[in-house]
Amino acid sequence: MAITLKPLHPLFVAEVTGVDLTTPVPEDVFAEIHAAFERYAVLVFPDQPVTDEQQTSFSRLFGPLETAPNFAGKALRLSNEFTDISNLDHEGKLLDPEDRLTRYNLGNQMWHTDSSFKAVRAKCSLLSAREIPPTGGETQYADMRAAYDALPPERKRQVENLVAEHSIAHSRAKSGFDSFNSDIATALPPVPQRVVDHYPGSGRSSLFLASHASHIVGWPVEQGRALLEELIEFATQDQFVYTHHWRVGDLTVWDNRCTMHRGRPYDLRQRRVLHRTTVSDVVTNYQVTMAHAESRG
């Protein structure tokens, strides 16, 4: 084995050493990395001072990259292959705490799953730490497979065939942001996503939740929202959560299909700069949902 794995949590998450992501990763080494990704769902690669080009090259080994819409309608600092997880403007200066982009980014502090609001959802995200504040700004991950396994049998039966509607507008409204680019509603209409899914790669079932989930299709809106909130609260209990304390050069990879995550608050007067790439799923939950609906007539 070329890589070395060190579990960081009893249920999921492993640190990966023995590979240099600043150089091309051999096919056999990536096969080991991908197997670890399916097993642990979150991988931490320490001491990987990658450039943007090196990060995109490694990301593409997992699949095709998403492009990031300009949600807030502001000039962007990075190319659209990246989501800018920072408190900087397009000139590299600290954003005003009242800036539209700052207010949009506050939504990242809610438990969420990247791109669950897209018809082609995300397979995984890769986040590279470039500058880190002295305190705060951690990222927390929740294992949605372990949370599903821990559900009481009657709750599993209840949620097995449910479908939730996901929308970026819904999640950002919850954080007080309503200043989207004018074309976002047209480009990203609400999409249905199964609440429970099964993954052949790991052989496990998982909850699929996010702050983007608005309601349960076919249920009264408030009843569905109450269930979604209950499930998110259950799935983010301490035993299911890993908190990553960033160091410059860390790169994390997580499976969006079976984890949730959130950023933690930090002093916005301190620079925090992380670059995220996101890989599209091959078979989308939307396609599975539609096939499931058609099979039921």
Side-chain angles (χ1 to χ4, degrees), residues 100-294:
R100 287 176 65 197
L101 192 52
T102 302
R103 290 189 288 111
Y104 174 81
N105 287 336
L106 287 176
N108 291 327
Q109 294 182 16
M110 296 186 291
W111 285 107
H112 66 285
T113 303
D114 293 334
S115 298
S116 74
F117 51 85
K118 295 182 179 180
V120 181
R121 64 178 183 174
K123 174 182 179 179
C124 61
S125 295
L126 298 89
L127 192 58
S128 168
R130 311 300 176 88
E131 298 182 56
I132 298 301
T135 59
E138 303 86 359
T139 299
Q140 293 184 307
Y141 299 94
D143 186 348
M144 307 304 283
R145 305 168 305 180
Y148 173 80
D149 291 345
L151 283 175
E154 62 273 16
R155 183 63 90 199
K156 285 182 180 178
R157 287 192 292 271
Q158 180 188 29
V159 302
E160 182 64 32
N161 294 312
L162 295 182
V163 173
E165 185 175 278
H166 290 234
S167 166
I168 184 65
H170 172 74
S171 62
R172 286 314 188 259
K174 289 168 67 175
S175 65
F177 181 86
D178 60 359
S179 303
F180 279 109
N181 234 351
S182 59
D183 62 345
I184 291 299
T186 301
L188 293 170
V191 297
Q193 304 281 15
R194 286 175 58 83
V195 172
V196 178
D197 221 336
H198 181 77
Y199 301 101
S202 64
R204 300 182 67 181
S205 294
S206 174
L207 292 170
F208 189 75
L209 303 169
S211 60
H212 309 305
S214 169
H215 59 277
I216 300 295
V217 175
W219 282 32
V221 171
E222 293 308 316
Q223 181 183 352
R225 287 182 178 172
L227 175 63
L228 290 169
E229 290 173 4
E230 177 189 322
L231 290 172
I232 288 175
E233 183 176 357
F234 179 86
T236 55
Q237 295 176 84
D238 288 347
Q239 66 262 36
F240 304 130
V241 172
Y242 164 76
T243 300
H244 186 65
H245 299 271
W246 290 98
R247 298 157 295 185
V248 172
D250 282 354
L251 184 143
T252 62
V253 184
W254 65 90
D255 192 331
N256 281 298
R257 302 165 301 183
C258 59
T259 64
M260 285 197 302
H261 64 282
R262 67 175 179 179
R264 305 307 295 139
Y266 63 99
D267 185 347
L268 293 174
R269 297 169 297 181
Q270 302 286 339
R271 291 168 65 97
R272 181 179 185 266
V273 181
L274 299 99
H275 294 189
R276 193 190 87 201
T277 41
T278 306
V279 177
S280 292
D281 204 3
V282 177
V283 179
T284 73
N285 206 20
Y286 177 81
Q287 291 170 334
V288 172
T289 298
M290 294 300 96
H292 177 73
E294 290 173 4

Side-chain angles (χ1 to χ4, degrees), residues 14-179:
E15 181 181 89
V16 182
T17 55
V19 61
D20 181 0
L21 302 183
T22 67
T23 63
V25 176
E27 183 176 349
D28 59 333
V29 175
F30 181 73
E32 292 182 25
I33 292 171
H34 198 270
F37 166 78
E38 291 187 332
R39 177 181 176 185
Y40 290 100
V42 180
L43 301 179
V44 177
F45 296 81
D47 302 316
Q48 300 287 349
V50 294
T51 64
D52 285 354
E53 182 179 2
Q54 290 162 349
Q55 181 173 342
T56 56
S57 294
F58 179 57
S59 301
R60 287 192 179 100
L61 297 178
F62 289 90
L65 295 188
E66 287 188 1
T67 55
N70 187 349
F71 292 111
K74 298 277 291 185
L76 300 179
R77 193 175 64 90
L78 303 176
S79 73
N80 66 358
E81 289 182 322
F82 284 87
T83 299
D84 188 4
I85 310 297
S86 80
N87 58 342
L88 306 183
D89 66 15
H90 68 287
E91 296 180 337
K93 300 175 182 177
L94 284 172
L95 284 166
D96 187 300
E98 298 303 316
D99 189 275
R100 287 176 65 197
L101 192 52
T102 302
R103 290 189 288 111
Y104 174 81
N105 287 336
L106 287 176
N108 291 327
Q109 294 182 16
M110 296 186 291
W111 285 107
H112 66 285
T113 303
D114 293 334
S115 298
S116 74
F117 51 85
K118 295 182 179 180
V120 181
R121 64 178 183 174
K123 174 182 179 179
C124 61
S125 295
L126 298 89
L127 192 58
S128 168
R130 311 300 176 88
E131 298 182 56
I132 298 301
T135 59
E138 303 86 359
T139 299
Q140 293 184 307
Y141 299 94
D143 186 348
M144 307 304 283
R145 305 168 305 180
Y148 173 80
D149 291 345
L151 283 175
E154 62 273 16
R155 183 63 90 199
K156 285 182 180 178
R157 287 192 292 271
Q158 180 188 29
V159 302
E160 182 64 32
N161 294 312
L162 295 182
V163 173
E165 185 175 278
H166 290 234
S167 166
I168 184 65
H170 172 74
S171 62
R172 286 314 188 259
K174 289 168 67 175
S175 65
F177 181 86
D178 60 359
S179 303

